[in-house]
Amino acid sequence: FIIRDNFLGNEQDFNLILSEVKSLRDEGLLKKAGMSQGSEQWTDDKIRGDYILWVNRKEKIQYKSPNLCRLLEKIEEFKDDLNRACNFDCRKTQIQVACYPGGGSRYVRHYDAWSGGSSRRLTCLYYLNLGWKKSDGGCLRLYLDGMGIDGTFDVEPVADRLIIFQSRRLEHEVLAVNVERYSVTSWFY
């Protein structure tokens, strides 16, 4: 996994993105996240407590969230760099805006892709949590055994931090969140 702090490097930029994401939440565009297996779908707060918005077409939110779209363009540029430099050959991305409302909401241990399921290869998580402190909760716990290492590693969800990891190899969970926690996730296929 890779952690990159100061991804945008400009506090004004991520303040504007956070404001736009909160506006999307206030408009009711973020919906209760669910889970699925085959054609079956369900929700369960004990397993997953976030609210999400799938951003499959940037044009749909461009007029409401131009700063969020600039972040997505920067992540897309990173994907293009991977394609050129590493023959990554990523032709599809999936983007999700998420808000954990606090009150102990979490997402239990899971992979972002699994054998016979999603063909996601890389997960890119960008955090928007200004002034985050340990008591806020919501760390991303990485289970390193998928990388041949014993133990765990907790990533603090601080503003302007990007973490990238292999979707099939790194099991992870969002620990209990005590205050609102915001992120933007891109998956590279």
Side-chain angles (χ1 to χ4, degrees), residues 16-24 64-69:
L16 291 169
I17 295 166
L18 178 59
S19 177
E20 289 173 356
V21 167
K22 286 182 175 183
S23 291
L24 294 170
K64 290 182 179 192
S65 308
N67 298 290
L68 174 59
C69 286

Side-chain angles (χ1 to χ4, degrees), residues 14-142:
F14 60 78
N15 276 324
L16 291 169
I17 295 166
L18 178 59
S19 177
E20 289 173 356
V21 167
K22 286 182 175 183
S23 291
L24 294 170
R25 178 212 55 205
D26 292 345
E27 291 175 36
L29 296 175
L30 277 70
K31 305 295 184 194
K32 182 80 183 111
M35 293 151 292
S36 64
Q37 186 170 9
S39 61
E40 188 180 346
Q41 297 181 348
W42 69 94
T43 62
D44 185 341
D45 285 341
K46 293 179 188 133
I47 296 172
R48 183 173 185 183
D50 56 334
Y51 289 77
I52 61 170
L53 171 65
W54 290 103
V55 184
N56 296 321
R57 292 177 39 124
K58 286 185 281 193
E59 308 86 55
K60 286 171 64 175
I61 63 161
Q62 177 67 46
Y63 72 98
K64 290 182 179 192
S65 308
N67 298 290
L68 174 59
C69 286
R70 280 197 287 283
L71 167 66
L72 300 179
E73 287 166 9
K74 185 160 179 154
I75 293 171
E76 194 76 14
E77 288 171 13
F78 170 71
K79 179 201 65 143
D80 292 342
D81 289 344
L82 277 174
N83 283 343
R84 273 190 303 281
C86 304
N87 282 335
F88 189 61
D89 196 32
C90 174
R91 296 172 194 227
K92 176 183 172 185
T93 57
Q94 197 176 38
I95 302 160
Q96 178 188 94
V97 174
C99 171
Y100 286 82
S105 58
R106 61 185 308 237
Y107 194 169
V108 299
R109 186 174 176 170
H110 66 283
Y111 289 102
D112 282 351
W114 53 94
S115 184
S118 167
S119 58
R120 293 172 177 163
R121 292 189 287 158
L122 283 183
T123 299
C124 302
L125 246 167
Y126 179 78
Y127 293 114
L128 294 162
N129 306 298
L130 290 170
W132 182 89
K133 51 193 177 307
K134 281 199 183 288
S135 62
D136 293 341
C139 281
L140 180 72
R141 174 160 291 162
L142 306 176

